[in-house]
Amino acid sequence: MDELVALCKRRGFVFQSSEIYNGLAGFFDFGPLGAEMKKNIKDKWWQDVVRRRDDIVGLDSSIISSPKVWEASGHVAGFSDPMVDCKETKHRFRADQLFFSKLKLKATGEVIGAVCVQESPSMEKDAKAQAKKFMKANKLEGEIEEFDFKDLTKATADDLAIIPSPMSGTPGTLTPAYLRPETAQGIFTNFKNVQQTARIKLPFGIAQIGKAFRNEITPRNFIFRSREFEQMEVEYFFSDDDEEWKTEHQKWIDFSWDWLKSVGLREELMALEVHEQSELAHYARACTDITFRFPFGQSELQGIAARGCYDLNQHQEASGKSMEYMDESNKKFLPHVIEPSLGVDRLFLALLVSAYHKEEVEGETRTLLKFHPSIAPIKVAVLPLMKNKENIVELARGLYQNLSYRHNCFWDVSGAIGRRYRRMDEAGTPFCVTVDFQSLEDETITIRNRDTMDQIRMPITEVA
């Protein structure tokens, strides 16, 4: 695992977030190759799951939602990250970075209001200035007790009614909101909107790719378990027939397994884990995980859950708005749902593990990433044999520009050709195109295969 992490840093796949400030646990930044690879993963998934199917449509819902969404789904008591919005100024704050204190008169202990300040070394000073302003505006006199600061996550509904916004100073204008712990709830709350506007009939799915956040107490194993991550999820809706869910569940297990193999996961590292009834959430009918053998052990990669109609029912009861579907016989019911949920970051790591190879070549160790071409961050590298031969560079540059219209290409003129090949092997580039002296004579180029290192010559017109 250490070798893989070092490669990710060396070649620009993944960096520790805020590294120059000693890093921030559980957060990562994706470098030039990592950003390309993540985009390729998401594009491939969207192409295969949404665009190539006529029973699935897409959605991009907001990261911040009304707190009522998370109350209905049951997440508020769990692992969501609270935010607050100021209704007047539209500013947004993390609730754990705002601190409030009730204003109590020393003489009587009466609560006359509250102060609210952003976390800073000058909190006490800022709060005193705010309290003085409050007392003057309300024509109050008397000495107040010492501040008892608490962060806003500990504020009750009664507290929020008297706590002022640190921007406007107006009490009762801070509204709690939450960073979403999953993308699924945005799909459920938009079920009727999507179904009616897309004019789609059961069975159908709604797909979404998006960021989610969790307060992991011990983020670990590189990007496998982090506090900010991306999900690719489908909520696939179908009838409330008691037997149909088994068929749909198995279809999505099979589809997910085959898709993961198609993007380059090694099947010998994959396995299925069926959850026992005692392990299921109270609303779930079944759940099967596709697991992967990471260097730190076999762990969940993708979950395929049969969630029944729990989520739609929860939002229908909490909102008072119907989530029912009416079929062609005018029967109304709450559809049931299968949820295939796949983490982009976990798949990213699994693809790196699957692709990572080391081998001996002429007494030297060659490190390469055998990515599937659809996932590889660089599709082809264009390498002029010599950078000081203007005619070779000019021909190679023209080829590079033509290829760049269709693919993400890399231009490299630095170092011996063998060293350049090795750099591209570590980046997972499937093909290297070399322009040499023979290219000037017959307009052919050399194409090198990353995995086999075989080289063939072909006309430049067939490449560009």
Side-chain angles (χ1 to χ4, degrees), residues 339-374:
E339 178 189 78
S341 179
L342 176 60
V344 178
D345 308 74
R346 288 190 180 187
L347 177 55
F348 186 104
L349 182 57
L351 288 167
L352 282 169
V353 172
S354 289
Y356 185 73
H357 283 74
K358 295 178 76 173
E359 60 188 29
E360 291 293 319
V361 177
E362 297 178 355
E364 293 184 357
T365 300
R366 181 172 86 113
T367 302
L368 68 156
L369 294 172
K370 293 185 176 182
F371 290 131
H372 188 281
S374 65

Side-chain angles (χ1 to χ4, degrees), residues 197-257:
T197 56
R199 299 174 59 241
I200 193 167
K201 297 179 180 180
L202 293 181
F204 73 89
I206 303 174
Q208 180 168 211
I209 300 174
K211 291 267 191 180
F213 307 83
R214 292 185 183 176
N215 274 331
E216 293 288 358
I217 297 173
T218 54
R220 61 188 183 274
N221 296 330
F222 195 33
I223 59 173
F224 177 81
R225 190 177 298 282
S226 55
R227 291 178 169 134
E228 176 184 339
F229 53 94
E230 272 190 289
Q231 290 180 307
M232 303 186 293
E233 287 190 319
V234 176
E235 302 301 332
Y236 196 79
F237 301 94
F238 50 92
S239 77
D240 59 349
D241 186 291
D242 280 340
E243 294 302 314
E244 187 175 353
W245 73 267
K246 296 178 183 178
T247 302
E248 295 295 347
H249 192 228
Q250 189 59 50
K251 282 182 181 178
W252 276 104
I253 294 171
D254 296 341
F255 177 88
S256 301
W257 182 276

Side-chain angles (χ1 to χ4, degrees), residues 54-90:
D54 59 7
D55 60 340
I56 296 181
V57 295
L59 179 72
D60 184 5
S61 65
S62 172
I63 289 176
I64 305 292
S65 298
S66 165
K68 293 181 180 179
V69 171
W70 306 111
E71 290 167 9
S73 68
H75 285 98
V76 163
F79 45 67
S80 50
D81 295 301
M83 306 286 286
V84 288
D85 288 340
C86 175
K87 290 186 285 188
E88 284 190 349
T89 65
K90 310 304 180 188

Side-chain angles (χ1 to χ4, degrees), residues 68-131:
K68 293 181 180 179
V69 171
W70 306 111
E71 290 167 9
S73 68
H75 285 98
V76 163
F79 45 67
S80 50
D81 295 301
M83 306 286 286
V84 288
D85 288 340
C86 175
K87 290 186 285 188
E88 284 190 349
T89 65
K90 310 304 180 188
H91 278 78
R92 177 170 291 146
F93 310 90
R94 278 189 62 117
D96 58 0
Q97 293 175 356
L98 287 184
F99 286 78
F100 77 97
S101 175
K102 293 177 182 178
L103 294 177
K104 294 183 180 179
L105 292 175
K106 256 188 179 181
T108 63
E110 179 188 357
V111 176
I112 58 172
V115 292
C116 181
V117 293
Q118 296 185 64
E119 184 178 22
S120 74
S122 62
M123 278 172 47
E124 186 86 16
K125 179 182 176 182
D126 296 340
K128 285 181 179 179
Q130 199 177 111

